């Protein structure tokens, strides 16, 4: 039985080395992504997605919405459209309930 390092073993070591380097590289990229995300957020925070001007937070029936100071576009955060829709729906329901009462 010969006791020499097999090619498989060398290949295994090389592969391990590659995986280790790949992992380190991915970690670096992930960190870059985080920094880029942070940079972009700082750059775009409260800026109009259309014209890039400042957004102004206004209170629309208890829901905070952002309106562009330049093009008057309106930006809604997650859940705000639903909140406004709910309000509009209840307003519509109230409106139609007037007719229901008249029919009754
Ligand atoms: Zn705008």
């Amino acid at each position: 039985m010969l006791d020499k390092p097999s090619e498989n073993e060398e290949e295994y070591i090389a592969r391990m080395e590659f995986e280790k380097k790949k992992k380190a590289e991915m970690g670096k990229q992930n960190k870059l992504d985080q920094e880029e995300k942070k940079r972009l957020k700082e750059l775009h925070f409260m800026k109009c997605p259309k014209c890039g001007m400042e957004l102004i937070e206004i209170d629309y029936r208890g829901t905070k919405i952002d309106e562009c100071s330049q093009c008057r576009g309106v930006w809604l955060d997650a859940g705000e459209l639903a909140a406004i829709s709910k309000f509009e729906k209840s307003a519509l329901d109230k409106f139609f309930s007037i007719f229901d009462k008249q029919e009754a």
Side-chain angles (χ1 to χ4, degrees):
M1 198 170 142
L2 282 163
D3 193 19
K4 60 159 191 166
S6 70
E7 274 182 37
N8 280 346
E9 200 174 328
E10 276 174 35
E11 197 181 287
Y12 175 79
I13 289 163
R15 176 146 295 277
M16 280 289 112
E17 195 63 26
F18 172 79
E19 290 295 332
K20 210 169 87 185
K21 281 180 182 165
K22 196 176 86 174
K23 218 175 175 182
E25 193 57 37
M26 280 170 76
K28 233 189 279 172
Q29 280 177 19
N30 199 32
K31 194 166 169 273
L32 260 183
D33 284 351
Q34 294 296 325
E35 279 168 14
E36 181 67 359
K37 275 180 193 165
K38 201 174 154 232
R39 193 184 70 80
L40 287 174
K41 191 184 173 180
E42 277 164 10
L43 198 62
H44 297 282
F45 187 69
M46 287 305 274
K47 296 276 190 292
C48 177
K50 269 192 174 173
C51 69
M53 292 294 114
E54 291 290 326
L55 294 174
I56 298 164
E57 195 177 65
I58 55 171
D59 199 300
Y60 177 78
R61 295 163 177 175
T63 302
K64 299 262 187 284
I65 62 173
D66 305 317
E67 189 178 301
C68 179
S69 54
Q70 181 67 36
C71 73
R72 314 287 290 176
V74 169
W75 178 254
L76 296 167
D77 285 334
E80 288 181 343
L81 179 62
I84 288 170
S85 302
K86 210 180 278 172
F87 177 86
E88 298 297 352
K89 193 186 172 296
S90 67
L92 279 177
D93 287 346
K94 233 177 262 172
F95 178 73
F96 285 116
S97 73
I98 296 165
F99 295 101
D100 289 344
K101 273 173 202 156
Q102 279 177 345
E103 276 173 36

